């Protein structure tokens, strides 16, 4: 039985943007016939770095087709930098969710997008540098580590659902277990909740702790570059901040917030925190 | 309550079949007023016991067996496990099993467990198949050793319908003092079987594949073949399978076997003609489509076709919209991320294995239904090929 959402059915039955762009600005070709699914994504990007058109061709099951279709809809009109931030979870969410065994279809979408953007920018994909762990599906350690981190995977089964690794002969199971253990234990924030159990931290404690970390760990660094940060609000796990000074006009402000501020707060306060900029 | 969907074109009879109305009628008394225990001394129960005896006679008649050779079980899988484990306990000094690469998981996974879970106490030889899904008899002969306890080879393949020469294979095993089991779940009711003239020691069948309900099966044990029960318990089934009988289903299976005997000619003429019409038309009108499995050595109801460069689950989902029920050997439907082990063993290229669809018909299918499928399939395949990066049509 198919447990597909209406959105998946809709995109499967009437897929959007099917085809190939003539003389594309960037092409992403991922998957293979052997793997059972493959996606060729072509992008048209204008001189302002805006994606003006996106088309796809997909060989695969209903969720692979739907993921590709919704992805082309998502990226059209976006700046390349914005499109580059789309995760597989975003794709799955745009479809109203995917069955867990089908999450790898959304990962394939993100991979194709990444490859197309890398192609446009003339960059090499980090994937090619990894070491192949799952020989059946040609999945590298870098891809697996990334999926574990991005989607907070905690079991071999989840790794298989997201990356297909281990879904064939199963010989790489030991390697997968090792990568999982190393990746998870290498991320201290996963064990932080034991030190600061989320349930026992009151809102007030949480705010105080966040302020403390901002003051001690984050502001000195930003100030060095002529910027600053201010805590606006804490609503549940959402931490609303405002960037000041040089940070405000910096094109990398989003990276600063996600890669630097959020990472630090997750590491030192609570792993579930989400930092957002006040608009 | 789930009710039957109207306008369903059911061509997935190798998965399961409709319970014949005649079978339902035969079962009803045993689900209502005739609830006695067949082992009881009183007439009320004794009459129920008589109905099981009658069913046993009917099953035996379909197989060309004696009633005493029929043991009722809960399903095909139980019958398979019972036969193979009995052989291993009959010859505890023998540690070798011969089977094929294309068995149903009921046999395949049991053999895998006998290797791995026992720490490789048992050795398993899995016979290869060629591109048509046929066995190499020279390889089979060479695989039979003094250490071989049992050979387990399916009569007909569930995915392709390919029929194996089990009569000849059983004879070769017998000459060497090796027990022979066949999983005949797909063959019984579809092709004529006469066990009297064969050297088959064990045969498994499953009720729901021949218009009886799910949850009842049979293990045929040849008279004189040594047997060790799988399920110990009461004296039911002559002590060969403990547990109070699933009376209604056993009665239903008896009736289903009787019907299968009556319809055997129809199965091999009208149903076969429908299958042939579906097969030849689809292969003719859809480019890059190919038959999986031997052209003639095949069950009359089964056809497995690969549509290259498209994926099976997507095909099935489109067919589903038109109420057409079938199966696929694609990765997305096998639950293992890899396409069917049967098609891979046959060396079907990946371009085709992922796009395989199995149609399996029954006496309830009509020519109109076949024509609906013929009318719908080309558009389905074409629409998916338009999406496929590999299709250069």
């Amino acid at each position: 039985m198919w447990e597909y959402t209406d959105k998946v059915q809709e995109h499967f039955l009437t897929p959007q943007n099917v085809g190939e762009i003539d003389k594309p600005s960037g092409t992403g070709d991922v998957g293979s016939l052997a793997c059972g699914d493959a996606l060729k994504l072509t992008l048209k990007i204008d001189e302002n770095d805006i994606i003006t058109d996106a088309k796809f061709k997909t060989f695969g099951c209903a969720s692979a087709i739907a993921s590709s279709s919704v992805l082309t809809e998502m990226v059209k009109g976006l700046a390349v930098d914005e499109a580059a931030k789309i995760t597989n979870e975003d794709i799955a969410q745009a479809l109203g969710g995917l069955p867990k065994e089908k999450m790898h279809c959304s990962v394939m979408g993100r991979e194709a997008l990444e490859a197309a953007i890398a192609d446009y920018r003339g960059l090499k994909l980090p994937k090619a540098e990894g070491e192949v762990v799952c020989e059946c599906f040609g999945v590298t350690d870098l891809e697996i580590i990334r999926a574990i981190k991005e989607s907070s995977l905690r079991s071999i089964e989840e790794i298989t659902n997201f990356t297909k690794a281990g879904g064939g002969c199963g010989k790489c199971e030991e390697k997968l277990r090792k990568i999982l253990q190393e990746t998870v234990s290498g991320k201290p924030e996963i064990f932080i909740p034991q030190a600061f159990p989320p349930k026992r931290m009151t809102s007030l404690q949480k705010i105080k702790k966040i302020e403390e970390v901002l003051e001690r760990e984050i502001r000195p660094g930003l100030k060095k570059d002529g910027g600053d940060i201010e805590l606006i609000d804490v609503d549940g796990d959402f931490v609303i901040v405002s960037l000041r000074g040089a940070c405000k006009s910096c094109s990398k402000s989003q990276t600063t917030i996600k890669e630097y501020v959020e990472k630090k707060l997750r590491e030192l306060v609570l792993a579930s925190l989400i930092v957002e900029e006040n608009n | 309550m789930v009710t039957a969907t109207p306008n369903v074109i059911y061509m997935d009879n190798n998965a399961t079949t409709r319970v014949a109305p005649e079978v339902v009628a035969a079962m009803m008394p045993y689900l209502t007023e005739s609830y006695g225990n067949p082992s009881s001394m009183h007439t009320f129960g004794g009459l129920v016991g008589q109905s099981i005896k009658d069913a046993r006679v009917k099953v035996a008649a379909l197989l060309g067996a004696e009633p005493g050779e029929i043991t009722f079980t809960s399903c095909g899988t139980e019958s398979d496990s019972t036969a193979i484990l009995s052989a291993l306990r009959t010859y505890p000094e023998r540690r070798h099993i011969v089977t094929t690469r294309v068995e149903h998981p009921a046999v395949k996974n049991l053999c895998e467990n006998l290797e791995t879970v026992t720490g490789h106490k048992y050795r398993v030889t899995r016979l290869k198949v060629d591109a048509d899904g046929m066995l190499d008899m020279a390889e089979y002969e060479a695989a039979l050793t003094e250490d071989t306890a049992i050979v387990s080879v399916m009569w007909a393949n569930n995915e392709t319908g390919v029929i194996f020469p089990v009569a000849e294979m059983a004879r070769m095993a017998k000459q060497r003092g090796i027990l022979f089991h066949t999983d005949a779940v797909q063959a019984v009711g579809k092709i004529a079987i006469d066990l009297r003239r064969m050297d088959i020691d064990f045969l498994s069948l499953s009720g729901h594949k021949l218009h009886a309900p799910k949850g009842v099966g049979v293990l045929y044990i040849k008279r004189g073949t040594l047997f060790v029960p799988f399920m110990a318990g009461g004296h039911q089934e002559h002590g060969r399978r403990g547990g109070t009988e699933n009376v209604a289903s056993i009665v239903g299976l008896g009736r289903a076997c009787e019907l299968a005997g009556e319809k055997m000619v129809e199965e091999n003429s009208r149903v076969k003609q429908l299958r042939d019409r579906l097969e030849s038309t689809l292969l003719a009108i859809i480019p890059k489509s190919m038959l999986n499995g031997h052209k003639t050595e095949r069950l009359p109801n089964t056809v497995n076709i690969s549509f290259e460069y498209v994926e099976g689950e997507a095909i099935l989902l489109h067919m589903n919209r038109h109420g057409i029920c079938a199966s696929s050997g694609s990765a997305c439907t096998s639950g293992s991320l890899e396409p069917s082990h049967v098609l891979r063993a046959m060396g079907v290229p990946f371009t085709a294995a992922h796009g395989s669809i199995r149609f399996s018909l029954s006496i309830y299918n009509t020519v109109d239904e076949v024509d609906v499928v013929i009318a719908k399939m080309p558009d389905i395949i074409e629409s998916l090929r338009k999406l496929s990066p590999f299709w250069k049509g």
Side-chain angles (χ1 to χ4, degrees):
Chain A
M1 259 282 276
W2 293 278
E3 288 172 22
Y4 287 142
T5 63
D6 291 347
K7 202 82 188 160
V8 172
Q9 299 255 15
E10 184 188 313
H11 276 278
F12 168 64
L13 294 175
T14 47
Q16 305 296 306
N17 310 309
V18 176
E20 268 181 59
I21 293 172
D22 191 36
K23 291 183 203 137
S25 319
T27 302
D29 225 335
V30 297
S32 76
L33 266 174
C35 295
D37 44 24
L39 164 57
K40 184 173 190 175
L41 178 72
T42 47
L43 301 177
K44 191 91 192 160
I45 300 167
D46 71 6
E47 62 283 1
N48 300 320
D49 258 17
I50 303 290
I51 299 172
T52 55
D53 199 8
K55 287 196 187 299
F56 82 93
K57 281 205 155 186
T58 291
F59 162 80
C61 59
S63 48
I65 291 168
S67 295
S68 314
S69 170
V70 81
L71 173 67
T72 56
E73 292 283 272
M74 288 164 79
V75 299
K76 276 211 275 183
L78 282 189
V80 174
D81 281 345
E82 288 299 310
K85 287 180 204 147
I86 292 174
T87 65
N88 68 293
E89 306 277 351
D90 294 336
I91 298 170
Q93 244 168 48
L95 290 169
L98 281 171
K100 63 179 173 33
E101 304 84 2
K102 299 282 188 180
M103 283 305 288
H104 60 83
C105 295
S106 64
V107 174
M108 182 169 77
R110 190 210 62 205
E111 281 175 357
L113 178 61
E114 252 171 22
I117 292 174
D119 180 44
Y120 165 66
R121 288 174 170 162
L123 298 172
K124 207 166 93 183
L125 270 181
K127 173 183 173 174
E129 291 162 14
E131 192 186 316
V132 173
V133 175
C134 167
E135 286 174 12
C136 295
F137 294 107
V139 190
T140 67
D141 53 352
L142 293 184
E143 288 174 277
I144 294 163
I145 291 168
R146 178 167 176 188
I148 293 171
K149 287 182 178 169
E150 283 188 355
S151 302
S152 309
L153 308 184
R154 289 296 175 270
S155 69
I156 310 268
E157 192 190 339
E158 286 178 345
I159 293 177
T160 307
N161 286 339
F162 278 72
T163 67
K164 287 183 148 196
C169 69
K171 276 186 197 144
C172 60
E173 199 184 310
E174 266 318 300
K175 284 188 196 164
L176 293 179
R177 184 166 293 123
K178 200 163 160 251
I179 292 174
L180 180 65
Q181 275 167 359
E182 285 172 1
T183 311
V184 171
S185 62
K187 287 176 70 141
E189 69 263 38
I190 282 149
F191 298 100
I192 292 291
Q194 294 176 343
F196 303 98
K199 276 182 198 152
R200 270 185 267 155
M201 199 187 282
T202 66
S203 290
L204 199 63
Q205 285 173 319
K206 204 191 293 177
I207 294 169
K208 272 180 116 173
K209 192 85 199 160
I210 291 168
E211 272 182 328
E212 218 180 290
V213 172
L214 281 177
E215 197 60 48
R216 192 182 69 227
E217 303 279 342
I218 296 169
R219 296 182 75 177
L222 295 181
K223 278 180 175 169
K224 250 198 295 186
D225 291 333
D228 202 351
I229 193 166
E230 201 184 322
L231 180 65
I232 306 290
D233 197 6
V234 177
D235 183 9
D237 277 346
F238 284 90
V239 182
I240 315 297
V241 297
S242 185
L243 290 170
R244 302 274 186 243
C247 290
K248 204 173 164 59
S249 52
C250 176
S251 66
K252 296 271 191 298
S253 66
Q254 199 56 36
T255 318
T256 307
I257 286 191
K258 286 289 165 191
E259 288 300 320
Y260 184 52
V261 181
E262 191 180 84
K263 223 171 159 184
K264 266 279 181 264
L265 288 178
R266 284 184 178 187
E267 192 182 320
L268 298 170
V269 184
L270 204 60
S272 54
L273 292 180
I274 297 157
V275 180
E276 282 190 348
E277 195 177 1
N278 183 33
N279 293 314
Chain B
M1 193 178 119
V2 183
T3 49
T5 323
N7 306 321
V8 156
I9 298 180
Y10 191 77
M11 295 198 182
D12 204 9
N13 287 280
N14 287 12
T16 195
T17 58
R18 172 185 176 176
V19 181
E22 297 92 327
V23 169
V24 176
M27 291 172 68
M28 282 315 285
Y30 301 94
L31 294 169
T32 51
E33 67 269 25
S34 299
Y35 56 81
N37 190 319
S39 301
S40 295
M41 283 300 120
H42 42 71
T43 314
F44 184 64
L47 288 176
V48 175
Q50 185 57 45
S51 70
I52 291 181
K53 276 188 194 161
D54 293 346
R56 206 183 301 281
V57 170
K58 290 170 184 169
V59 174
L62 182 68
L63 300 177
E66 295 168 20
E69 295 174 319
I70 303 300
T71 298
F72 290 109
T73 66
S74 68
C75 59
T77 300
E78 185 196 323
S79 299
D80 290 338
S81 274
T82 303
I84 293 171
L85 295 175
S86 169
L88 297 179
R89 288 161 80 181
T90 300
Y91 296 118
E93 72 289 355
R94 300 190 194 175
R95 301 288 173 84
H96 182 227
I97 302 165
V98 175
T99 180
T100 77
R101 294 192 182 182
V102 295
E103 293 301 311
H104 184 274
V107 169
K108 180 176 172 272
N109 291 346
L110 174 68
C111 288
E112 273 167 25
N113 284 356
L114 284 169
E115 284 178 307
T116 55
V117 178
T118 64
H120 296 272
K121 180 177 161 192
Y122 296 100
R123 209 159 49 79
V124 179
T125 299
R126 295 175 180 83
L127 303 172
K128 290 195 281 286
V129 293
D130 64 15
D132 284 336
M134 303 296 282
L135 296 169
D136 174 354
M137 293 299 272
E139 188 200 5
Y140 171 58
E141 186 165 17
L144 300 174
T145 68
E146 284 184 356
D147 195 36
T148 311
I150 186 165
V151 175
S152 179
V153 171
M154 66 202 327
W155 198 307
N157 187 273
N158 48 311
E159 292 188 29
T160 60
V162 166
I163 297 169
F164 285 147
V166 284
E168 170 66 7
M169 295 176 87
R171 193 184 57 78
M172 289 162 69
K174 172 102 172 172
Q175 282 169 354
R176 292 162 179 79
I178 300 167
L179 292 170
F180 191 92
H181 164 251
T182 183
D183 177 346
V185 160
Q186 295 295 343
V188 174
K190 293 174 191 152
I191 51 175
I193 287 175
D194 190 357
L195 293 170
R196 262 168 303 217
R197 295 187 221 135
M198 297 190 193
D199 295 314
I200 291 169
D201 294 291
F202 302 105
L203 174 145
S204 306
L205 74 86
S206 174
H208 74 103
K209 307 284 190 191
L210 64 149
H211 306 291
K214 296 155 188 74
V216 64
V218 161
L219 178 62
Y220 158 90
I221 308 162
K222 195 172 200 61
R223 192 155 60 93
T225 294
L226 295 172
F227 180 74
V228 184
F230 179 52
M231 275 174 66
H235 59 276
Q236 295 91 348
E237 300 298 294
H238 309 288
R240 292 179 156 181
R241 202 263 187 189
T244 299
E245 299 87 340
N246 181 1
V247 178
S249 292
I250 289 171
V251 170
L253 178 56
R255 183 74 182 106
C257 286
E258 202 172 40
L259 289 169
E262 291 165 13
K263 312 257 178 174
M264 188 64 74
V265 174
E266 183 184 349
E267 179 84 32
N268 286 276
S269 53
R270 192 182 70 82
V271 175
K272 183 172 184 296
Q273 281 158 18
L274 291 180
R275 191 277 311 268
D276 290 347
R277 179 189 182 99
L278 179 67
E279 176 179 327
S280 57
T281 316
L282 289 181
L283 290 173
I285 63 176
I286 299 179
K288 292 277 177 191
S289 56
M290 53 180 257
L291 175 70
N292 293 316
H294 196 274
K295 185 94 187 72
T296 53
E297 291 296 308
R298 195 151 43 99
L299 292 174
N301 79 319
T302 308
V303 58
N304 188 315
I305 299 180
S306 277
F307 303 101
E308 286 193 86
Y309 307 111
V310 285
E311 200 277 335
E313 194 218 69
I315 303 173
L316 287 181
L317 195 51
H318 272 297
M319 290 167 67
N320 190 52
R321 285 172 57 230
H322 301 294
I324 305 168
C325 306
S327 286
S328 169
S330 86
C332 279
T333 54
S334 70
S336 74
L337 290 180
E338 287 202 328
S340 123
H341 71 284
V342 176
L343 299 182
R344 276 185 293 146
M346 289 161 63
V348 174
F350 278 114
T351 51
H354 285 295
S356 69
I357 299 289
R358 176 192 71 188
F359 299 92
S360 45
L361 282 63
S362 80
I363 49 163
Y364 294 113
N365 287 119
T366 65
V367 69
D368 288 346
E369 289 179 330
V370 168
D371 288 345
V372 169
V373 177
I374 289 171
K376 299 289 182 198
M377 289 307 288
D379 286 349
I380 292 173
I381 302 302
E382 203 192 317
S383 70
L384 288 170
R385 278 179 176 168
K386 273 190 194 146
L387 298 179
S388 174
F390 303 112
W391 178 247
K392 313 287 180 209

